[in-house]
Amino acid sequence: MISASCNCGVVRFELTEAPSTLGACYCSRCRKAGASAMVFIKKESLNWVSGQDQIAVYRPQQPYKYKRCFCKICGTSLGEVLSEEASFPVSANVFDGDLGLQVQFEEHVEDKPSWME
Ligand SMILES: [Zn+2]
Ligand SMILES: [Zn+2]
C-alpha cells in the first residue's frame, strides 16, 4: 500500500497500485500551487483514510481549467485528488515514501525559473 498525506496529517489516502507516470510542469500556475511534479493515478486505486471533507478546491478562471485541491488546514497542494475522472494527476509531494519514479515528461520548460535545476 502506498500512503499519502498532507503536512498536518488530516488528509490521508492510500493507493492500491503504484502510479506509473510522473510528469513535471513548470508553468507559473503549477509552480505557485507547489505542484510542479505530478503523478497520474487511477481513481479505482485510491482509498480514502481521512480528511476528504477538509479539502478545498481552487477553480481557476478561463482559459485555465485544472482545479487545484489543497488541505484547508495546512495548505498542502493535492493536485486533482477529488476528480471524478478515471485517471487524474496528484501532487508527487504528498506521498509519504519514495515512489521510485523518474520524470517522464516535462511541460512549460521555457517557464522554468533559473533557481530550478
Ligand atoms: Zn493538512
Ligand atoms: Zn502547469
Side-chain angles (χ1 to χ4, degrees):
M1 196 72 81
I2 296 161
S3 63
S5 56
C6 65
N7 241 333
C8 72
V10 164
V11 176
R12 289 183 187 277
F13 61 89
E14 294 175 335
L15 299 182
T16 55
E17 188 182 322
S20 57
T21 309
L22 174 70
C25 181
Y26 304 104
C27 78
S28 62
R29 294 164 318 274
C30 289
R31 196 167 70 231
K32 290 180 186 188
S36 288
M38 293 276 194
V39 293
F40 290 80
I41 68 167
K42 292 180 189 161
K43 189 174 178 63
E44 62 185 17
S45 74
L46 187 151
N47 290 325
W48 284 99
V49 177
S50 64
Q52 211 175 345
D53 58 344
Q54 295 300 319
I55 296 173
V57 181
Y58 165 61
R59 293 174 173 80
Q61 296 196 325
Q62 294 293 334
Y64 305 117
K65 56 181 191 234
Y66 297 114
K67 295 177 200 161
R68 311 283 182 153
C69 299
F70 58 95
C71 172
K72 282 182 195 170
I73 299 166
C74 70
T76 296
S77 189
L78 303 164
E80 296 181 52
V81 75
L82 295 181
S83 175
E84 294 298 324
E85 305 290 323
S87 167
F88 48 81
V90 166
S91 296
N93 304 322
V94 300
F95 292 95
D96 297 329
D98 185 1
L99 294 171
L101 291 172
Q102 303 295 319
V103 172
Q104 283 139 310
F105 67 90
E106 296 181 301
E107 288 183 281
H108 296 284
V109 177
E110 68 284 2
D111 293 341
K112 202 187 258 198
S114 56
W115 46 262
M116 193 177 262
E117 272 187 42

